[in-house]
Amino acid sequence: MEDGRETAAMREQARKDRQIGPEFISQNNKDRWCHTIDETPALENTDSDIGLCGWILVLFSILLTLLTLPLSIWMCIKIVKEYERAIIFRLGRILRGGAKGPGLFFILPCTDSFINVDMRTITFDIPPQEVLTKDSVTVSVDGVVYYRVQNATLAVANITNADAATRLLAQTTLRNVLGTKNLSEILSDREEIAHSMQSSLDDATDDWGIKVERVEIKDVKLPLQLQRAMAAEAEASREARAKVIAAEGEMNASRALKEASLVIAESPSALQLRYLQTLNTIAAEKNSTIIFPLPIDMMQSFLKR
């Protein structure tokens, strides 16, 4: 049990050492870090591992450089920009200290080679992916990913092409995340989906020295038939709500008319006042219209005859 706990602690320390870079690894943790399961062989190599033949070649390269001065100095001096780091390989092994730069550094022309790594944030578009959602609807979704190289040594030593691998991983991650969502969740929970993708990509690219900073879902394209069906459904829903609102208005109006009729029945003079109010309204809007109110009592005598 104690061995298991010690192994877990060693793995966690190795993970932290990989994140901060080999140049910051303490001397006490370096030996323990090199024996964990998660060890990176390229980061363990130092100048002392090149062997006797390697040292002979290095000394010969130094001697040749000194003999050809000052012409050889132009081959030894290299400069990297502020946003770049240089990984130096001596006889195929990464030098102690990890990435060099920014600024000026020296190499041996015959035995050393180097690779420049861009440390700036890189942006790329995820091509539209045809995804089958959880409720069996086919949608086309695209997005954009922002990432940067956090550890140049891991980005060079642990993977062949970090940029291409991150792009392919982003496409597969988008498919996997959207496959567990319904259509309504995809349309409404874009922020949650982007956060889930960002966490998955960041965990997967940790061993590559890459930090995924942000993921955004750009557009969700639905099939034309589904768009028409959703539009018809929305239109029908709005029409139903409009009819319900109109019916409620008619019901309220009928109740108001019923109450008004009860008031008029209690006071017959109120009907005459209503006549006068109606005349006033018509006179204000249509002056050419003249209405003569004719009491019904006057017509009853003619109706009896």
Side-chain angles (χ1 to χ4, degrees):
M1 181 65 68
E2 295 180 357
D3 295 339
R5 293 180 179 177
E6 183 178 358
T7 303
M10 293 167 61
R11 291 179 179 177
E12 181 64 22
Q13 184 63 38
R15 182 177 179 274
K16 293 180 180 179
D17 292 339
R18 290 202 312 274
Q19 291 179 348
I20 63 177
E23 59 270 24
F24 297 105
I25 300 176
S26 60
Q27 187 64 33
N28 295 332
N29 295 330
K30 186 172 294 183
D31 296 335
R32 182 177 61 184
W33 175 70
C34 293
H35 290 85
T36 59
I37 298 178
D38 298 337
E39 63 187 4
T40 304
L43 303 183
E44 301 170 11
N45 300 334
T46 60
D47 296 343
S48 59
D49 296 329
I50 60 178
L52 179 60
C53 182
W55 278 112
I56 294 175
L57 292 176
V58 170
L59 293 176
F60 177 76
S61 179
I62 294 174
L63 179 62
L64 183 63
T65 302
L66 294 176
L67 292 177
T68 56
L69 286 176
L71 297 178
S72 60
I73 194 66
W74 302 108
M75 301 178 63
C76 297
I77 296 177
K78 301 295 180 181
I79 299 175
V80 292
K81 299 178 182 179
E82 181 68 28
Y83 54 84
E84 293 180 336
R85 298 296 183 271
I87 307 299
I88 302 177
F89 294 87
R90 176 161 295 170
L91 297 177
R93 298 176 180 270
I94 296 179
L95 289 183
R96 181 193 297 271
K100 304 296 182 182
L104 185 70
F105 65 95
F106 296 89
I107 64 171
L108 296 178
C110 299
T111 59
D112 293 356
S113 61
F114 69 96
I115 298 176
N116 283 343
V117 179
D118 196 333
M119 306 294 289
R120 293 176 294 182
T121 299
I122 300 173
T123 306
F124 66 87
D125 292 329
I126 302 177
Q129 303 294 311
E130 295 289 338
V131 181
L132 184 64
T133 62
K134 189 176 181 180
D135 51 354
S136 301
V137 177
T138 302
V139 295
S140 178
V141 184
D142 58 354
V144 59
V145 177
Y146 302 84
Y147 79 93
R148 61 181 175 85
V149 177
Q150 189 175 21
N151 191 313
T153 305
L154 293 177
V156 172
N158 284 7
I159 192 167
T160 304
N161 191 332
D163 181 73
T166 304
R167 292 173 184 268
L168 294 176
L169 183 61
Q171 297 178 21
T172 56
T173 303
L174 179 62
R175 288 175 174 270
N176 294 335
V177 171
L178 296 182
T180 60
K181 302 290 184 179
N182 296 327
L183 178 61
S184 58
E185 295 176 347
I186 294 176
L187 296 177
S188 59
D189 298 337
R190 293 192 181 187
E191 185 176 355
E192 181 182 353
I193 294 173
H195 181 71
S196 177
M197 284 189 58
Q198 189 267 336
S199 300
S200 300
L201 287 174
D202 195 20
D203 294 339
T205 58
D206 184 52
D207 292 337
W208 304 342
I210 291 178
K211 173 65 177 178
V212 179
E213 297 178 340
R214 190 178 182 88
V215 178
E216 293 291 342
I217 302 299
K218 292 175 59 178
D219 190 17
V220 178
K221 296 181 180 179
L222 303 177
L224 185 59
Q225 295 180 353
L226 181 59
Q227 293 181 13
R228 293 176 179 175
M230 294 179 66
E233 180 182 1
E235 184 178 358
S237 177
R238 289 181 178 275
E239 289 181 355
R241 288 198 298 268
K243 291 180 179 179
V244 170
I245 294 173
E248 292 178 353
E250 292 291 340
M251 182 177 61
N252 294 333
S254 62
R255 289 177 180 176
L257 290 174
K258 178 182 178 182
E259 294 176 358
S261 63
L262 295 176
V263 173
I264 294 175
E266 294 177 357
S267 178
S269 61
L271 183 59
Q272 300 298 328
L273 295 176
R274 183 60 180 168
Y275 282 153
L276 295 176
Q277 185 179 4
T278 304
L279 287 174
N280 186 22
T281 303
I282 295 175
E285 295 181 356
K286 300 180 180 180
N287 297 329
S288 60
T289 302
I290 300 175
I291 296 179
F292 295 95
L294 183 62
I296 299 177
D297 296 339
M298 297 177 62
M299 300 295 298
Q300 287 181 354
S301 60
F302 294 100
L303 292 176
K304 289 180 181 180
R305 294 180 183 179

